[in-house]
Amino acid sequence: ELVQVREQGGAIRNYGTQDFLRLSPVNLSQGFRLEIQFGLDYGLRDHITSTIPQTLRDFVEKGLIQAGYEGHLTELKVEFQEVDDSTLKLAVLTTFSGDAAPLYLRLNRLLQTLCVEAAARHGWTMPLPQLTLHTGSGWRPQG
């Protein structure tokens, strides 16, 4: 009739069983995957499918080991994902053992941090969203 979920920090949240099941809960205890999308500038196109994925992979792996999560990591891949409007996207794919389930959100944040640190260390530019305006001839700003 009732499902009780203990949140991190100790708070208990109560759900009616049907309400809980409608939330489609995910069981992380048998292992889980985290996927981070990370965008780099078009100026890196000559290396985005060759050296950058391996360099980023090595950096992320070293960071996870230094943070003490080596025993939880079961798979790590970095692959070119797609061309977007203003960025070339990489996918950082990690799989962790179920005993890391309580660390799910922390690991997600750490992966984001490691990607940003790798970009800074290697001088990779992360693009800002861009907007291009095309105007007809003779247009002048008012004011």
Side-chain angles (χ1 to χ4, degrees):
E1 293 181 26
L2 184 68
V3 175
Q4 289 189 327
V5 176
R6 182 178 306 274
E7 297 177 347
Q8 289 184 336
I12 296 176
R13 188 176 298 260
N14 295 306
Y15 298 93
T17 301
Q18 292 305 314
D19 293 333
F20 178 75
L21 293 175
R22 275 192 282 279
L23 295 172
S24 300
V26 176
N27 183 346
L28 305 176
S29 67
Q30 300 302 308
F32 58 92
R33 171 168 270 192
L34 289 171
E35 179 177 337
I36 304 300
Q37 292 183 11
F38 187 66
L40 294 174
D41 189 83
Y42 271 88
L44 297 166
R45 66 186 166 276
D46 292 342
H47 305 285
I48 197 74
T49 60
S50 57
T51 59
I52 290 175
Q54 185 62 46
T55 301
L56 181 56
R57 187 206 176 282
D58 293 345
F59 192 94
V60 168
E61 181 176 42
K62 183 178 178 184
L64 288 169
I65 290 169
Q66 287 177 342
Y69 299 122
E70 178 180 18
H72 301 293
L73 181 67
T74 60
E75 184 177 25
L76 170 60
K77 293 187 214 176
V78 177
E79 301 174 350
F80 178 71
Q81 182 172 345
E82 68 181 342
V83 176
D84 202 351
D85 289 339
S86 61
T87 186
L88 301 170
K89 285 188 182 175
L90 294 166
V92 179
L93 309 164
T94 55
T95 305
F96 293 93
S97 59
D99 56 340
L103 307 169
Y104 182 84
L105 296 175
R106 182 181 306 166
L107 288 167
N108 192 29
R109 290 188 303 269
L110 178 59
L111 290 170
Q112 297 279 351
T113 299
L114 291 170
C115 287
V116 171
E117 289 176 355
R121 168 85 45 89
H122 295 286
W124 301 332
T125 305
M126 297 180 299
L128 296 172
Q130 298 178 11
L131 174 65
T132 304
L133 298 175
H134 296 278
T135 62
S137 61
W139 180 85
R140 293 182 188 258
Q142 301 293 317

